[in-house]
Amino acid sequence: MSLPKKSVHVRLSDEMHDRLSALSGLQNDDMAEHAAFLLEKMIVAEWHVVMMQAKAFSRLGLTGNQREQEGL
């Protein structure tokens, strides 16, 4: 039994649609399933970058909370 997933509608250029079709064909996947897989990979990668930047800012003392603490 698979977990329920939310639906997202995206529009692709003709070129990207053709590439997605070829990639999903190579993996013997449904095109929508392969698109979801690729999108989830990119979201994980982007989230990782954001979290690493947040940690770096925190180490530098740049958390964004100073404005509220200083009453600005």
Side-chain angles (χ1 to χ4, degrees), residues 5-64:
K5 294 188 176 185
K6 299 219 178 210
S7 178
V8 174
H9 181 88
V10 298
R11 295 188 185 277
L12 300 173
S13 67
D14 290 340
E15 181 182 6
M16 290 301 114
H17 187 275
D18 292 344
R19 289 180 182 187
L20 176 60
S21 178
L23 289 171
S24 62
L26 290 172
Q27 299 293 323
N28 266 347
D29 270 347
D30 174 69
M31 201 159 74
E33 289 176 8
H34 200 71
F37 168 74
L38 293 174
L39 182 58
E40 287 178 359
K41 272 179 48 172
M42 291 305 302
I43 291 169
V44 167
E46 286 291 317
W47 189 257
H48 177 73
V49 169
V50 167
M51 291 295 102
M52 292 297 101
Q53 289 173 338
K55 285 182 184 180
F57 288 151
S58 180
R59 281 194 302 270
L60 294 171
L62 304 174
T63 62

Side-chain angles (χ1 to χ4, degrees), residues 63-72:
T63 62
N65 294 332
Q66 287 179 335
R67 186 174 31 183
E68 293 171 3
Q69 291 171 355
E70 295 173 1
L72 296 176

